Amino acid sequence: MIARLFLLCCLLFGNTPAIFAQPLDEIERNTVEVDEILEQAKRSHSDSQREDLANRSLSMARSLRYDGGIIRASILLGEVFVRTDRPQEALQYYLEAEAKLENAGNRTLQLNVKTAIGDLFFGEKLYASARRYYREVLALRPEDFDTREKAADACLFDMRFDSAEILYKDLIYKFKEEGNNPRLVQIYQKRARAYDAAGDAGKSLYYYLLLQDIIETAGTTQEQSLLYNNLGRQYVSLQDYPKALEYFRKAEMQCSYIPCEYPEVLWANMGIALHNTGESKRGIEYLLKAQKLLISRKDYAALANLEHLMATVYFSSNDIYNALSHNQTAIQYASETKQKQVLAEAYRTGADLYHDLYDFEKAFEYYREYLNVLDEIRREDQTKEQRLTQQRALLSAAEGQIKFLIARQNFKDLELNQVKYERERLELQNKNLELEARRKEDEVRLLEAQKDADQAKLREQTLQALQARQQLRLAAQQLDAEKQNRVILELREKEQIERAQNQADSTRRAQELERIQREQAYQTEQEANFRRVAYILGLALFVVLLVVGISWWFTRRSKRRVESQNRQIQAQKLEIEAEKQKSDVLLRNILPEEIAAELKSSGQATPRLYESATVLFSDFVNFTSLSARLTPGQLIDELNECFLAFDEICERHGLEKIKTIGDAYMCAGGLPIPNDTHAADAVRAALEMAEWLKNRREAHPDSFLTEMRIGIHTGPVMAGVIGKNKFAYDIWGDAVNLAARLEEHGEPGRVNISGATAEAVKHLYLAEHRGQKDVHNKGQVDMYFIVDDGR
C-alpha cells in the first residue's frame, strides 16, 4: 500500500510542466478558470462529480504553480475522501495543502487544515497523531475550545487520563462561567463512560454523581431516569447492591411518569439488584417482565443476553432445571443472532450446570463447545485487531512518506524558481542587447537618410549649375547675333564709320575679350563649388561606413560575451548540482534520513520526545587491559571489524545507530520513526551480535575482542540534533542511563534486559529473572537474562 501511495505521489508531484514561456495574460485567464472550476465543485451535490472537478482544477493549478488553487483543491479533495472513507488519500491532500500554507500567510486556513488532519487521525483511532496536530493548533490558537475538547477526547480514548483531566479542566471552568449545562453534561458523560470502559467504577461513579447535581436541577425527566440507571450500574460494579437498588427504583419511578425507551434494561438491572440483596423471587419477576417485553418485540439478540442472565440467577439460587431451560434458550437465541460471546458464556454455564448434575460427559461436551467458540472469538478479534493495526501503521507511515515527498517537491520547486529567475534575467539581458542593437540600427538608418538628403541636395546644385551654363550659352548666342547685326550695320554705315573704324575695331575687341574673361571666371567658380560638395559627400559617406562597421563589431563582441556568460552559468549550475548531491549523501551518512530532510527544509531539527523507545548498549570485556597491550593499529582494526558487523545487524533489524564511545556501541529502536516492535527488534539484534562475536571467536582464535556485555532498556527518550555546528544525532533521558547500567551489570555473552523490555517481549522470548540489582542513582532495579532465542 505504501509503494502504491509513493507512486501516486510521484505522479502527482513529478508531472508539473514548466510555464516559463506562457504569457502573463494567458496565465491570469487560466487561474480564473481554476477558481471557476473550484466554485463549480463546491456547488456540486455529488461527491464523485466534486472529486472529478477538484482533480481537474488541481492539475491545472499545479501546471500553473498557482498555490491558491492547489490549496483549495487539495482541501476539497481531502474533505471528499474523508466522507467516502479513503483516509490515506485524504491525508495525502491535506498534507499537501498544509505544506503550501506554511508560507502562504493564511493562518486561519492553515489551522483549519491541521484540525482536519487531527480529526482524520482521530477517526482512525491514531490518537497520538491526532493529539500532535491538535497541540499545534492550540499553540497558535489557545482560545479554540472546540479543538481543546477534541485534544482532551483523544487523550481520554488513548487512556491518558491525566492529560485529559488537564485539558477538560479549562473547558469545565469556561462552561461553568457561561452556565452552559448541556456542554458540561457532555464532558462529564464522556469521562464517566471512559472510566467505566476502563473498569474504574469508582472514577466513573464520581463523574456520574457530578452529573446528578446538574441533571436533577436542570435536566429532563428522561435524562434523570437514564442517569439513575447508570448510577445503579456503577454501584452494581462496586457490589453495593442496596445503593444500586435505590437508584434503580428512582429510575423506575421516573419511568412511571414518562414512557421509557429502555424499560427492559431497567427491569433486568433491578432483577439482578434484588437477587443480590436476597429478594430473588421479586428479582425473577422483573426479569420475566423484561423477557415478556422482548418476546413481544422479537428482539432475539437482547433475549439471548437476558435468558443467560436468568439462567445464572436460577443457577445461583440452586434451581438447576430452570437454569438449564433458560440457558438452552440463550444458546438457541445466541446461535441464531450470531452472538458468539453470549454463546460462549452460555456453553460455560451449561458445563457448570451439568457438572453439578454429575453428567460429566455432557459437561465435557459443553465445555469443549465453550472453548471452540472462545477460540473463534479470539481469532476474529486478533484478525480484526491485526487489520486495524496494519491500517493504522500504514496511515502513520504514509504521513511521513507524504511529507518527505512534499518536502522534496518544494525543494524541486525552489530549484525551478531559481532556474526561472536566472532565465528571466538572461532574457532581460538579451532584450537590452536587442534594444541596443535596434538603437544602433536606427542610428545607421538616420545616417543613411542624411546621406540620401545630401545626395539630393548635391543633385539639385548640379542641376542649378547646368542651368547656369545653359543660360551662359544662350547669352553667348545672343552676343553672336548682336555681333552679326553690328557687322551688317557697320557694312551699311561703312562710309560713315570709315574714319572711326580703327577706334570701333579696338572697342569691339576689348568687349569681346572682357566677355570671354567673365565666362571663364564663372566656369572656374562653378567647378570649384562642385569639387567642394563632392569632397563633403565623400567624407560623410566614409563616416557612415565607419560607424556601421564599428556597430557591427560591438554587436558581435556583445553576442560572444553573452554566449560565454551562458556557458559559465551552465557550468556553475552543474558544479552546484554535483556539490549538492555530495552534501546530501554526506548528510544522510551522518544523520537519519528524516532528520536530514528536516534540516534541509527548515534549517533545524527540533528534538522530539519518543514516549517509547528501546536503547541497546554493548561493551567489550577487558578492553582497557587490551588497549595497553595492543598497538593502535591492531586495536582500531579489531574495533572496526566488530562495529561494521554491528552496523549491518542494526540495519537489518531497523535500529538506528547513535554513536560509539571507545569500545562501547550504542543504538536504539523506535526512532526516528516510531514503531511498536522496537523492543523485539533490539533483543533480536543483541542476540545476533552475541552470536556473531561467538562465531568470530571460534573462526579466529587469535582475535583479541572475544567477549562483550549487552544491556537493553525500554522507555521514553528525547532525540534530535542540538547546536548549529558539527551536527550529530543523539538521544538523552533516563532510559539511556539505565540501559548503560544494565550493560554494566550484565555478564559476558548474555543479554541483560530491564523489566520494561521483558514485559514488551514476553510473547516472543523467555526471560530469566535475576532479581533486583542495586543501580547507581536508581535504587533496586529488576533485571532479566534472555534464555531462549524466541518461541
Side-chain angles (χ1 to χ4, degrees):
M1 190 65 180
I2 294 294
R4 184 174 69 83
L5 186 60
F6 177 79
L7 180 59
L8 177 61
C9 291
C10 288
L11 290 173
L12 287 174
F13 296 138
N15 293 332
T16 305
I19 61 166
F20 301 143
Q22 292 188 18
L24 291 177
D25 54 348
E26 183 179 349
I27 294 175
E28 185 175 356
R29 286 197 302 272
N30 290 336
T31 55
V32 170
E33 184 179 355
V34 169
D35 293 336
E36 290 175 352
I37 295 173
L38 283 172
E39 289 301 323
Q40 185 181 353
K42 287 182 179 179
R43 292 192 298 269
S44 175
H45 299 291
S46 168
D47 279 336
S48 60
Q49 184 180 8
R50 186 174 293 185
E51 180 183 347
D52 292 340
L53 291 171
N55 274 321
R56 179 182 166 194
S57 62
L58 180 60
S59 178
M60 293 179 63
R62 282 179 176 149
S63 66
L64 297 169
R65 302 193 181 280
Y66 175 30
D67 285 349
I70 293 174
I71 292 168
R72 293 169 58 199
S74 297
I75 293 174
L76 187 58
L77 282 169
E79 294 170 351
V80 170
F81 289 137
V82 167
R83 283 195 301 272
T84 55
D85 195 22
R86 289 183 281 177
Q88 290 181 346
E89 294 172 82
L91 177 63
Q92 168 197 330
Y93 288 104
Y94 276 143
L95 289 175
E96 183 175 3
E98 181 192 21
K100 291 294 183 184
L101 283 166
E102 287 294 332
N103 302 316
N106 192 335
R107 176 65 59 82
T108 301
L109 190 57
Q110 182 184 12
L111 295 180
N112 290 342
V113 170
K114 288 182 180 292
T115 302
I117 297 174
D119 294 344
L120 175 64
F121 281 120
F122 189 94
E124 294 299 311
K125 298 184 180 180
L126 292 168
Y127 301 117
S129 298
R131 288 200 313 275
R132 185 173 77 252
Y133 281 95
Y134 291 149
R135 281 199 301 266
E136 291 179 7
V137 174
L138 291 175
L140 298 173
R141 195 166 58 191
E143 72 284 355
D144 188 347
F145 289 98
D146 290 336
T147 303
R148 187 175 295 275
E149 185 170 358
K150 291 178 182 179
D153 292 344
C155 293
L156 192 67
F157 291 128
D158 203 22
M159 300 299 179
R160 297 180 177 275
F161 296 116
D162 293 339
S163 300
E165 295 282 352
I166 294 172
L167 292 167
Y168 280 132
K169 184 178 179 181
D170 296 335
L171 294 169
I172 291 171
Y173 180 77
K174 176 179 183 294
F175 294 147
K176 281 184 176 179
E177 277 193 339
E178 296 175 352
N180 193 342
N181 288 329
R183 294 300 299 275
L184 278 174
V185 168
Q186 289 177 4
I187 290 176
Y188 287 144
Q189 281 179 339
K190 284 190 286 191
R191 296 165 82 177
R193 290 168 184 164
Y195 283 115
D196 189 13
D200 191 343
K203 276 277 192 180
S204 180
L205 178 62
Y206 169 75
Y207 286 110
Y208 276 125
L209 289 173
L210 291 177
L211 279 172
Q212 184 179 3
D213 295 337
I214 300 173
I215 291 179
E216 285 185 345
T217 304
T220 64
T221 305
Q222 182 75 26
E223 291 172 342
Q224 291 177 12
S225 174
L226 180 62
L227 173 66
Y228 293 145
N229 185 65
N230 287 331
L231 281 166
R233 284 194 309 101
Q234 300 311 312
Y235 280 115
V236 168
S237 299
L238 295 170
Q239 297 184 355
D240 189 349
Y241 298 110
K243 197 71 175 177
L245 189 58
E246 176 186 339
Y247 277 103
F248 287 142
R249 282 174 174 159
K250 284 185 178 182
E252 185 182 25
M253 186 178 297
Q254 297 293 334
C255 287
S256 65
Y257 298 110
I258 60 168
C260 284
E261 297 179 359
Y262 55 93
E264 68 282 1
V265 176
L266 178 60
W267 292 338
N269 288 335
M270 287 194 66
I272 296 301
L274 286 166
H275 170 70
N276 285 291
T277 55
E279 299 184 57
S280 298
K281 185 176 179 181
R282 290 189 60 203
I284 290 173
E285 289 176 358
Y286 274 102
L287 292 172
L288 290 172
K289 283 175 65 177
Q291 180 193 37
K292 184 178 179 181
L293 179 60
L294 291 175
I295 290 173
S296 67
R297 291 181 181 174
K298 297 182 179 181
D299 189 351
Y300 300 115
L303 270 170
N305 283 282
L306 182 62
E307 291 289 349
H308 180 255
L309 183 62
M310 294 174 69
T312 57
V313 170
Y314 278 118
F315 189 20
S316 63
S317 301
N318 291 322
D319 189 346
I320 302 298
Y321 293 101
N322 274 324
L324 275 173
S325 174
H326 286 285
N327 192 65
Q328 196 61 35
T329 305
I331 291 173
Q332 178 187 345
Y333 288 148
S335 298
E336 291 175 355
T337 56
K338 298 181 180 179
Q339 296 186 85
K340 293 186 178 180
Q341 189 62 44
V342 178
L343 183 61
E345 293 172 359
Y347 275 126
R348 177 59 187 268
T349 303
D352 293 339
L353 286 168
Y354 282 113
H355 182 273
D356 285 4
L357 290 172
Y358 301 102
D359 190 347
F360 297 115
E361 184 177 351
K362 200 76 171 176
F364 177 73
E365 179 184 345
Y366 271 73
Y367 193 75
R368 184 176 58 195
E369 290 295 332
Y370 159 71
L371 293 177
N372 290 336
V373 175
L374 203 61
D375 285 342
E376 289 181 14
I377 293 172
R378 287 173 180 168
R379 284 195 299 270
E380 289 178 359
D381 289 344
Q382 287 176 354
T383 302
K384 186 184 298 182
E385 184 64 27
Q386 287 175 356
R387 187 165 56 249
L388 289 174
T389 302
Q390 183 180 12
Q391 185 175 355
R392 292 169 188 166
L394 287 174
L395 191 61
S396 297
E399 178 190 11
Q401 188 70 21
I402 292 168
K403 283 187 174 181
F404 170 74
L405 292 171
I406 290 173
R408 189 174 68 177
Q409 178 62 23
N410 290 337
F411 184 74
K412 184 187 292 184
D413 289 343
L414 289 175
E415 290 181 336
L416 290 175
N417 286 335
Q418 184 178 2
V419 173
K420 172 187 173 184
Y421 296 146
E422 184 64 22
R423 182 177 295 181
E424 289 178 350
R425 186 184 69 79
L426 293 175
E427 288 178 354
L428 182 61
Q429 187 175 1
N430 288 333
K431 287 180 180 178
N432 290 334
L433 292 174
E434 289 177 2
L435 289 174
E436 182 67 20
R438 289 177 185 173
R439 188 180 67 80
K440 296 293 185 181
E441 291 176 358
D442 291 341
E443 290 179 355
V444 171
R445 282 195 294 270
L446 182 61
L447 291 173
E448 289 177 349
Q450 185 67 33
K451 175 184 174 183
D452 292 340
D454 292 341
Q455 288 177 348
K457 184 175 180 182
L458 180 60
R459 285 195 297 271
E460 183 180 359
Q461 291 176 350
T462 303
L463 182 60
Q464 289 176 355
L466 292 173
Q467 288 176 349
R469 184 177 295 177
Q470 186 67 27
Q471 289 174 357
L472 287 175
R473 289 175 181 172
L474 290 173
Q477 289 176 357
Q478 290 176 355
L479 288 174
D480 290 340
E482 289 177 359
K483 179 181 176 182
Q484 290 175 359
N485 289 332
R486 281 195 298 269
V487 170
I488 293 169
L489 289 174
E490 286 176 358
L491 289 173
R492 288 178 179 178
E493 296 177 357
K494 187 174 180 181
E495 292 178 355
Q496 289 85 8
I497 60 172
E498 286 179 353
R499 284 179 284 181
Q501 185 176 4
N502 292 332
Q503 186 179 356
D505 289 339
S506 300
T507 301
R508 183 177 59 79
R509 282 193 297 270
Q511 289 176 349
E512 182 69 19
L513 180 60
E514 184 180 356
R515 181 185 65 79
I516 291 171
Q517 288 176 349
R518 283 199 306 271
E519 184 178 351
Q520 289 177 347
Y522 180 77
Q523 288 178 352
T524 302
E525 183 181 357
Q526 289 298 321
E527 288 174 355
N529 289 335
F530 177 79
R531 283 193 301 272
R532 188 165 50 251
V533 171
Y535 291 150
I536 292 172
L537 289 176
L539 181 61
L541 181 60
F542 173 77
V543 171
V544 169
L545 292 175
L546 181 62
V547 170
V548 170
I550 293 172
S551 299
W552 174 82
W553 183 77
F554 274 113
T555 302
R556 184 175 179 185
R557 182 182 178 187
S558 299
K559 183 177 179 181
R560 288 179 177 174
R561 186 168 60 250
V562 170
E563 290 175 351
S564 176
Q565 290 175 351
N566 287 337
R567 286 193 297 272
Q568 291 176 358
I569 290 171
Q570 190 66 24
Q572 290 173 355
K573 180 181 176 183
L574 293 175
E575 184 177 354
I576 290 170
E577 287 293 331
E579 292 300 324
K580 178 179 173 299
Q581 290 177 1
K582 291 179 182 177
S583 64
D584 287 348
V585 171
L586 181 60
L587 189 61
R588 284 196 295 271
N589 286 335
I590 296 173
L591 301 176
E593 190 168 351
E594 294 75 14
I595 304 302
E598 185 179 357
L599 279 172
K600 284 166 56 183
S601 61
S602 62
Q604 62 181 1
T606 305
R608 175 181 175 185
L609 173 63
Y610 293 85
E611 296 180 356
S612 180
T614 300
V615 183
L616 184 152
F617 266 91
S618 74
D619 189 74
F620 290 105
V621 178
N622 298 326
F623 180 79
T624 304
S625 60
L626 284 173
S627 62
R629 291 191 294 109
L630 299 178
T631 66
Q634 289 176 316
L635 197 62
I636 290 173
D637 290 341
E638 287 277 319
L639 286 175
N640 187 49
E641 182 180 358
C642 294
F643 287 167
L644 283 175
F646 293 174
D647 289 345
E648 293 177 358
I649 292 171
C650 288
E651 187 174 356
R652 279 199 299 274
H653 294 284
L655 302 184
E656 186 68 30
K657 177 183 177 182
I658 305 302
K659 58 185 174 183
T660 59
I661 308 170
D663 65 321
Y665 186 94
M666 176 182 174
C667 60
L671 53 85
I673 300 177
N675 61 59
D676 297 329
T677 64
H678 50 81
D681 295 338
V683 171
R684 277 194 295 269
L687 291 171
E688 188 172 344
M689 288 177 182
E691 183 66 21
W692 180 89
L693 191 62
K694 176 183 175 183
N695 294 337
R696 179 176 180 269
R697 182 173 63 245
E698 294 173 354
H700 303 284
D702 56 342
S703 59
F704 299 102
L705 301 178
T706 58
E707 292 183 324
M708 70 176 178
R709 297 182 299 272
I710 300 177
I712 301 175
H713 175 58
T714 301
V717 300
M718 286 290 295
V721 178
I722 294 180
K724 65 177 183 178
N725 295 326
K726 295 185 178 178
F727 293 130
Y729 186 70
D730 206 348
I731 60 176
W732 312 271
D734 189 61
V736 179
N737 298 330
L738 185 52
R741 299 293 179 267
L742 286 163
E743 177 271 315
E744 292 173 358
H745 285 78
E747 293 180 4
R750 306 198 72 178
V751 179
N752 190 27
I753 64 174
S754 66
T757 306
E759 180 67 22
V761 301
K762 65 182 181 181
H763 62 293
L764 296 173
Y765 297 95
L766 290 177
E768 175 189 347
H769 188 215
R770 303 177 60 198
Q772 292 187 335
K773 304 291 184 181
D774 186 65
V775 175
H776 180 63
N777 290 334
K778 294 295 290 182
Q780 297 295 319
V781 175
D782 286 308
M783 296 188 186
Y784 299 78
F785 276 144
I786 296 293
V787 297
D788 187 24
D789 60 354
R791 292 180 235 173

